[in-house]
């Protein structure tokens, strides 16, 4: 769903004087949101499973309050949300590599967070969903979990904003894409367009949303920083890497063997491609990075790692 066409002005932003609780702050999205909120001057409280772990300690060193808790422990959520003005909600998903959660876990976590935010008087809940989510199910159970959480939040009638981020740019330089061998494989065909976003920008958008509740409460924003075909991705990657990179869709045999991957590849020609209104988004959030700017900036280290010869099997 495209965003509405509204301009963002500094004058419209609320002073960042309260506390925002960030879930998943030791992970990609939550880490980005915590950093962006902190940079805007919010008091940031991160709910962490292991306060002594290195990621939690890095958060604390950056001026972020860390409190122990677990998405499966409602009491810890209640304690963390006490006195907070905002909550950023993100959950792990069964489709992630090495996932230990079920689809039902994700839905239970996401709906419980919303329930407790409502009961605790939190003034603004920001829920991170996914670009592929819409009014109808996709038929892929681990994508449709987020439609169920979105629908629960709307049913509660609490002050909330839903962000639907596109595919992360970080995923395109994952070790199993084949970049170390001059290859890049993903779900879409070579000339099918696909929207992507830098994880850094999810944090910046979330911070802008918390900073202007009167503008964003009640809205659902599909967010992306770029739209690229497979060939475009390979061209940008080759330029950044300084070596040839050839794109091909994931092998047909793999897509036939792995039912969920096959279904995702089908969706890549349709709604998984994304339908964010990039022009409007870039006007509203001018910091949004294109893929080539991300490769030259925050993504440079990840690209370097992916280019290093490795023995990861992946899809190659
Ligand atoms: N990849 C994409 O392109 C894409 C696009 C759109 C949406 N998404 C969605 O993004 C979500 C994942 O976000 P991410 O990539 O930021 O996650 P991530 O980097 O894998 O981090 C997961 C975070 O959740 C925390 N966590 C996990 N289980 C928990 C529990 N029981 N209680 C409290 N905290 C818990 C982890 O804490 P620990 O440090 O303790 O493990 C970590 O901070 C998924 O729902 C996925 O579907 C992904």
């Amino acid at each position: 769903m495209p965003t509405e066409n509204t301009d963002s002005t500094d004058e419209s932003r609320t002073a960042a004087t309260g506390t925002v609780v960030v879930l998943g702050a030791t992970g990609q999205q939550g880490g980005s949101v915590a950093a962006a909120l902190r940079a805007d001057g919010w008091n940031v409280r991160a709910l962490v499973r292991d306060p002594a772990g290195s990621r939690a300690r890095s958060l604390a060193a950056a001026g972020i309050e860390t409190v122990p808790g677990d998405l499966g422990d409602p009491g810890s959520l209640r304690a963390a949300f006490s006195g907070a003005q905002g909550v950023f909600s993100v959950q792990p998903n069964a489709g992630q590599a090495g996932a230990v959660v079920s689809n039902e876990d994700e839905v239970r976590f996401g709906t419980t967070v919303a329930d407790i935010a409502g009961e605790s008087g939190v003034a603004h809940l920001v829920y991170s969903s996914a670009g592929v989510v819409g009014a109808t199910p996709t038929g892929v159970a681990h994508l449709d979990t987020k439609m169920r959480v979105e629908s629960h939040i709307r049913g509660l009638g609490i002050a909330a904003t839903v962000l639907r981020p596109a595919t992360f740019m970080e995923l395109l330089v994952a070790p199993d894409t084949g970049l170390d061998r001059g290859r890049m494989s993903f779900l879409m065909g070579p000339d099918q367009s696909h929207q992507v976003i830098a994880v850094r920008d999810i944090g910046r958008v979330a911070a802008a949303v918390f900073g202007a509740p009167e503008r964003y409460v009640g809205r659902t924003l599909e967010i992306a920083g770029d739209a690229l075909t497979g060939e475009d991705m390979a061209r940008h990657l080759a330029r950044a890497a300084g070596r040839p990179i050839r794109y091909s869709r994931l092998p047909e045999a793999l897509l036939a063997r792995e039912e969920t991957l096959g279904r995702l590849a089908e969706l890549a020609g349709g709604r998984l491609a994304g339908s964010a209104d990039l022009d409007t988004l870039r006007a509203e959030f001018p910091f949004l990075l294109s893929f080539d700017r991300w490769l030259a900036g925050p993504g440079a280290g990840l690209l370097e790692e992916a280019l290093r010869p490795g023995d990861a099997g992946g899809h190659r």
Side-chain angles (χ1 to χ4, degrees):
M1 184 190 302
T3 53
E4 293 152 33
N5 189 2
T6 48
D7 293 324
S8 181
T9 58
D10 286 335
E11 294 74 47
S12 69
R13 298 183 70 156
T14 298
T17 50
T19 294
V20 179
V21 176
V22 177
L23 305 177
T26 52
Q28 299 190 88
Q29 295 194 61
S32 155
V33 172
L37 287 169
R38 194 70 204 105
D40 277 2
W42 291 95
N43 179 34
V44 180
R45 184 181 297 159
L47 178 106
V48 296
R49 291 194 287 186
D50 177 13
S54 63
R55 289 184 168 177
R57 282 189 282 113
S58 303
L59 292 169
I64 290 162
E65 180 191 357
T66 56
V67 295
D70 193 295
L71 288 165
D73 172 5
S76 70
L77 296 174
R78 252 178 228 111
F81 295 179
S82 169
Q85 181 165 335
V87 169
F88 174 79
S89 173
V90 64
Q91 280 74 47
N93 177 270
Q96 290 179 272
V100 291
V101 291
S102 66
N103 293 326
E104 293 314 310
D105 287 334
E106 182 185 358
V107 173
R108 180 167 48 86
F109 291 166
T111 55
T112 304
V113 166
D115 289 343
I116 295 176
E119 290 161 21
S120 307
V122 166
H124 194 180
L125 173 73
V126 176
Y127 169 60
S128 184
S129 174
V132 67
V133 177
T136 55
T138 62
V140 177
H142 80 260
L143 299 178
D144 292 334
T145 48
K146 294 178 187 0
M147 187 180 89
R148 294 165 62 192
V149 176
E150 283 192 18
S151 154
H152 183 84
I153 291 171
R154 288 193 193 97
L156 289 176
I158 57 175
T161 304
V162 174
L163 299 180
R164 291 179 175 164
T167 297
F168 302 166
M169 292 182 188
E170 284 73 2
L171 211 53
L172 306 180
V173 295
D176 62 356
T177 48
L179 287 171
D180 58 332
R181 298 183 190 184
R183 288 156 66 171
M184 155 72 185
S185 299
F186 205 59
L187 290 164
M188 69 284 186
D191 51 12
Q192 280 176 332
S193 185
H194 194 92
Q195 293 191 338
V196 288
I197 188 164
V199 167
R200 183 205 77 166
D201 289 344
I202 300 174
R204 293 197 177 184
V205 169
V209 164
F210 277 116
E214 67 294 341
R215 181 187 296 268
Y216 292 110
V217 164
R219 285 179 60 187
T220 296
L221 278 76
E222 182 174 343
I223 54 172
D226 213 340
L228 306 157
T229 64
E231 301 281 11
D232 291 336
M233 283 179 194
R235 192 165 35 80
H236 289 301
L237 286 162
R239 193 163 49 221
R243 62 171 92 159
I245 288 169
R246 193 165 45 83
Y247 180 83
S248 59
R249 194 162 88 131
L250 289 172
E252 290 308 323
L254 176 73
L255 298 178
R257 197 171 63 236
E258 307 256 344
E259 196 189 331
T260 303
L261 263 189
R263 180 77 186 113
L264 288 173
E266 277 170 29
L267 289 171
R271 54 196 272 193
L272 193 62
S275 55
D277 179 343
L278 292 185
D279 289 339
T280 301
L281 284 168
R282 285 172 183 150
E284 190 164 3
F285 307 112
F287 51 77
L288 282 170
L289 291 170
S290 59
F291 189 46
D292 57 354
R293 286 183 56 220
W294 178 79
L295 284 170
L302 289 176
L303 175 63
E304 200 183 312
E305 233 172 88
L307 291 170
R308 212 170 286 146
D311 57 1
H315 310 305
R316 295 168 285 172

